[in-house]
Amino acid sequence: MDKYETHPYDVIVIGAGGAGLRAAIEAKSQGASVGLICKSLLGKAHTVMAEGGIAAAMANIDPSDDWKTHCADTLRGGVYVNNWRMAQLHAQEAPERVRELEQWGALFDRTADGRILQRAFGGHKYRRLVHVGDRTGLELIRTLQERTVQLGVDVYMECTVTNLFKEDGRFAGALAYWRESGRLMIFQAKAAVIATGGSGKAYKITSNSWEYAGNGHAMVYDIGAELMDMEFVQFHPTGMVWPPGVRGLLVTESVRGDGGLLKNNKGERFMFKHIPERYKGQISDTEAEAEKWLTEIREARPITARKPPELLPRDIVARAIYNEVKEGRGSEHDGVYLDISHMPAEYVKRKLPSMYMQFKELADVDITKQAMEIGPTMHYMMGGIRVNADSQATNVPGLYAAGECAAGLHGANRLGGNSLSDLIVFGRRAGLYAAEYGKKTPEAKIPDAAVDRAEKELFAPFDRKSGPSPYEVHRELQEVMTTYVGIFRSESDLNTGIQKLQQLREKAKTISVEGNRQYNPGWHLAKDLDTMITVSEVIARGALLRKESRGGHARTDFPKMEDAFSKVNFVAVKDGDKPKVEPKPLPEWSDEIKKLMAEEKK
Ligand SMILES: Cc1cc2nc3c(=O)[nH]c(=O)nc-3n(C[C@H](O)[C@H](O)[C@H](O)COP(=O)(O)OP(=O)(O)OC[C@H]3O[C@@H](n4cnc5c(N)ncnc54)[C@H](O)[C@@H]3O)c2cc1C
């Protein structure tokens, strides 16, 4: 162990997106020594890409909004398999976390009388998303980053954590390498907050950044932590479909929230055909009413009309688009049209500056005059590391998780805006409890043998003189996940997918990488493949067991929701070299939540 650069901390935070930064701020504020580690540059985490806003029931625009309605929207959007306690804490604490951001210097868009402006989004009953045009993630990261630096948190950038270690049944520390030099280092820590985001790079068409390789999920799973609900993968309805080089790039939901219409190649607003039973009564069912809503939005008047069906939750809209294309009513490049050109050009440019630039520069489309072509793109993982609702603790003492890599809040489908609020609410909680644990717990010794084994595995691709390239295996993985574990699934496809993933796991063990350790992206990818394949197999196995369709999980052979599955989460643990996935009962709703949901149904 002496041969490694070693850093001791009460708490390490792995990941410097919204969740990691907020956790680090809290842990440091509680008096713990904190090391924050991220594989990109500080300020460049995936969170920076977030566009539409942060969901928080501040009631600035719609005075009837409150935490109860936000909580009910989250549970309904998650098709009732969310952890109710997380949904409650999230809705209750989000407004305070937003106000805190403002105190730390965040500059949100404003109402005419100076309050924080809020916009409409899919699945939210009221205008709830706090935003900065369509660049909210940038402001969130900027604010949290400044606070982190101000507090004196030690930051390790361009540093990838590859393994976590356990001793005496509890977390003991981590192995990492500097991306630039390939040199190894050890973090001797008493507690860790995992905040590493999702695993979208396992799919061919995705809105996710290169960082999303399931590292955190696979590392905690490797030392006995549980993963939950991994079958729930969100396909966002609106990704770019053309030109091919930018396929999958996100087109924010704000386009629809600010008045964008979805149309097929017959000019039909097809979403009116796709309003599910549980949303009937809440959504406009005529174009006339939807038009009234649009006028009220355009003129910033109080809303009296029900929302248009374009603003149904993402899972519903994504599947509707998929079916329009499959049935021959798609656009030129196998998408559908998203049109906001009926709104004033000045309004579009002010509300959606990034979208205006994105289409102008990448697709030569002026969205103030022309419709966009869009289609579903893999966007978000509702499933993740299983945590305690209050503390974000995993089942491994000393190990905490927050943000997209954690599970529970969003159930089967996440509502737009609920991720950024998730990051600040549960990032803070994870930091708080990790600090409490880290400050009072003695150091655990990292086992030498485990470090030696990890080092050997890490450098093995350099020792092989021949073998497939990591890029080839990555392409195959993306093909398998998109074809067999995609937006629609079936038993035979999933079985084929699992078989192919197992073959890929074997193939990945033979990968050979050229060159040396210094900034070698092929070698970085070789390690990421290991974690992506692990996460992908857990997704596929969960999907096979959930014999129903719910939220982000749609089975062609079981197209309906089934009662038997409404009361369970699927939980995966490592069992030898395979995941063991089993149903576990969902925590029962408290009396308060039962009452709330009964009232909401009226
Ligand atoms: C284009 C786009 C727009 C979006 N818009 C919105 C929106 O408007 N509202 C909303 O609520 N949500 C939105 N989302 C979703 C939201 O942005 C993400 O879910 C959220 O930012 C995830 O934050 P995080 O802190 O969990 O992870 P991230 O921000 O992804 O951070 C992960 C961190 O982990 C680090 N990391 C990963 N692996 C390792 C490792 N092995 N070692 C060290 N570091 C590691 C990364 O370097 C990074 O710092 C959007 C997503 C996309 C793609």
Side-chain angles (χ1 to χ4, degrees):
M1 287 272 291
D2 293 347
K3 61 181 177 172
Y4 303 109
E5 171 188 343
T6 301
H7 300 275
Y9 287 105
D10 292 330
V11 178
I12 53 169
V13 177
I14 308 174
L21 286 167
R22 189 61 191 83
I25 289 169
E26 195 61 28
K28 185 78 181 173
S29 307
Q30 297 300 322
S33 61
V34 182
L36 175 64
I37 311 154
C38 51
K39 62 183 186 182
S40 56
L41 289 169
L42 189 64
K44 294 278 184 198
H46 185 90
T47 298
V48 82
M49 294 159 70
E51 294 164 353
I54 310 171
M58 307 187 77
N60 285 354
I61 307 294
D62 294 313
S64 307
D65 200 9
D66 60 4
W67 79 261
K68 289 185 175 169
T69 318
H70 190 182
C71 178
D73 286 350
T74 301
L75 292 173
R76 192 184 303 102
V79 210
Y80 314 114
V81 289
N82 326 52
N83 179 303
W84 68 267
R85 174 72 179 151
M86 287 177 87
Q88 181 184 39
L89 288 170
H90 167 252
Q92 286 173 333
E93 295 181 4
E96 188 49 36
R97 298 282 76 78
V98 169
R99 280 190 282 274
E100 181 179 75
L101 285 175
E102 198 181 30
Q103 281 158 15
W104 294 345
L107 294 168
F108 295 111
D109 284 1
R110 299 267 150 197
T111 61
D113 60 355
R115 285 166 303 145
I116 295 177
L117 186 61
Q118 299 188 270
R119 62 158 50 116
F121 240 58
H124 292 281
K125 187 165 176 184
Y126 296 113
R127 282 170 285 186
R128 192 174 278 148
L129 266 73
V130 169
H131 59 277
V132 185
D134 52 7
R135 294 174 183 147
T136 313
L138 177 62
E139 187 65 1
L140 179 71
I141 283 281
R142 186 192 66 75
T143 308
L144 293 177
Q145 182 185 327
E146 269 179 22
R147 183 84 185 161
T148 304
V149 172
Q150 202 179 46
L151 288 173
V153 171
D154 293 345
V155 180
Y156 299 82
M157 327 183 220
E158 300 213 290
C159 175
T160 300
V161 177
T162 59
N163 299 78
L164 304 178
F165 303 108
K166 224 168 57 169
E167 181 66 353
D168 292 334
R170 65 187 168 97
F171 173 72
L175 178 71
Y177 67 86
W178 291 109
R179 292 173 76 81
E180 197 185 344
S181 64
R183 270 197 354 259
L184 295 183
M185 65 206 293
I186 292 278
F187 288 95
Q188 176 74 59
K190 301 173 200 166
V193 177
I194 312 299
T196 46
S199 191
K201 280 296 167 193
Y203 284 85
K204 200 163 60 177
I205 300 171
T206 179
S207 64
N208 288 184
S209 77
W210 65 272
E211 293 172 297
Y212 270 25
N215 292 172
H217 297 79
M219 287 191 292
V220 301
Y221 164 89
D222 218 35
I223 59 163
E226 297 164 319
L227 302 181
M228 184 174 95
D229 287 345
M230 296 290 281
E231 65 276 21
F232 295 129
V233 173
Q234 181 169 82
F235 289 84
H236 194 292
T238 60
M240 289 180 82
V241 294
W242 190 259
V246 294
R247 193 171 180 127
L249 199 64
L250 196 77
V251 179
T252 174
E253 190 168 321
S254 318
V255 176
R256 283 169 289 137
D258 290 333
L261 311 178
L262 286 170
K263 292 180 184 168
N264 60 21
N265 66 14
K266 301 196 169 348
E268 182 192 12
R269 283 181 70 182
F270 57 87
M271 281 311 301
F272 284 99
K273 295 183 299 195
H274 298 279
I275 304 173
E277 206 47 49
R278 68 180 194 282
Y279 280 95
K280 291 223 160 106
Q282 289 191 23
I283 295 284
S284 298
D285 44 17
T286 62
E287 288 207 24
E289 186 178 359
E291 187 54 44
K292 185 171 172 211
W293 182 89
L294 209 59
T295 310
E296 289 171 342
I297 283 280
R298 189 188 295 127
E299 295 172 4
R301 296 207 313 248
I303 300 287
T304 58
R306 292 172 300 178
K307 278 195 306 197
E310 277 89 355
L311 285 174
L312 279 161
R314 292 171 176 176
D315 55 328
I316 300 164
V317 184
R319 282 196 294 273
I321 293 173
Y322 181 93
N323 282 324
E324 288 297 311
V325 176
K326 200 164 141 226
E327 289 162 19
R329 294 184 294 278
S331 63
E332 214 181 325
H333 302 103
D334 287 342
V336 294
Y337 299 105
L338 173 61
D339 193 358
I340 194 158
S341 63
H342 52 95
M343 300 300 257
E346 174 278 324
Y347 169 95
V348 174
K349 286 186 195 168
R350 177 166 45 84
K351 290 277 193 180
L352 303 162
S354 300
M355 287 301 107
Y356 177 74
M357 293 304 289
Q358 184 171 312
F359 274 88
K360 195 103 183 96
E361 287 183 6
L362 301 178
D364 197 23
V365 167
D366 180 347
I367 66 170
T368 66
K369 297 194 178 92
Q370 295 159 275
M372 296 159 250
E373 264 190 275
I374 54 87
T377 178
M378 188 283 171
H379 182 60
Y380 186 86
M381 290 174 61
M382 274 68 72
I385 303 164
R386 193 179 194 209
V387 289
N388 173 281
D390 285 73
S391 66
Q392 302 291 107
T394 69
N395 57 320
V396 174
L399 206 54
Y400 299 76
E404 186 167 341
C405 69
L409 170 62
H410 308 291
N413 175 52
R414 173 176 73 84
L415 297 185
N418 269 2
S419 171
L420 295 188
S421 39
D422 173 0
L423 310 183
I424 49 180
V425 168
F426 293 107
R428 185 192 77 91
R429 283 182 164 268
L432 177 69
Y433 288 95
E436 196 176 273
Y437 178 94
K439 282 193 302 178
K440 69 174 187 220
T441 309
E443 228 173 59
K445 184 176 171 345
I446 299 177
D448 288 340
V451 179
D452 289 346
R453 202 166 44 243
E455 177 173 352
K456 223 166 135 204
E457 278 173 19
L458 194 59
F459 294 127
F462 289 120
D463 299 335
R464 295 185 201 109
K465 293 297 156 241
S466 66
S469 97
Y471 299 100
E472 172 191 331
V473 178
H474 191 203
R475 270 195 303 277
E476 287 177 33
L477 171 65
Q478 291 180 321
E479 206 58 57
V480 170
M481 289 306 282
T482 305
T483 310
Y484 301 106
V485 200
I487 189 165
F488 281 102
R489 296 131 183 213
S490 70
E491 179 151 344
S492 65
D493 276 356
L494 289 165
N495 277 324
T496 311
I498 290 169
Q499 209 184 358
K500 287 185 181 287
L501 286 169
Q502 284 167 341
Q503 287 161 2
L504 276 180
R505 169 161 300 294
E506 292 312 308
K507 190 166 176 178
K509 287 182 191 156
T510 65
I511 283 175
S512 145
V513 169
E514 287 177 14
N516 59 34
R517 297 176 192 187
Q518 280 161 8
Y519 221 107
N520 188 330
W523 174 48
H524 302 167
L525 178 60
K527 179 62 190 156
D528 281 348
L529 278 167
D530 189 34
T531 60
M532 280 192 277
I533 294 171
T534 298
V535 170
S536 298
E537 189 176 345
V538 181
I539 295 175
R541 287 190 183 274
L544 187 62
L545 290 178
R546 191 171 276 281
K547 295 181 195 294
E548 65 158 355
S549 292
R550 182 183 297 270
H553 169 65
R555 291 274 301 248
T556 51
D557 44 355
F558 296 99
K560 293 209 180 91
M561 258 192 300
E562 301 293 340
D563 264 359
F565 291 101
S566 66
K567 305 260 180 312
V568 293
N569 298 120
F570 281 102
V571 175
V573 286
K574 189 173 179 186
D575 185 21
D577 62 351
K578 271 203 211 122
K580 184 168 85 188
V581 189
E582 286 180 332
K584 293 265 163 81
L586 260 167
E588 202 189 324
W589 286 357
S590 68
D591 288 344
E592 186 181 26
I593 297 290
K594 279 184 193 155
K595 190 163 158 254
L596 165 66
M597 294 311 285
E599 278 165 10
E600 283 289 321
K601 269 195 182 142
K602 280 182 200 160

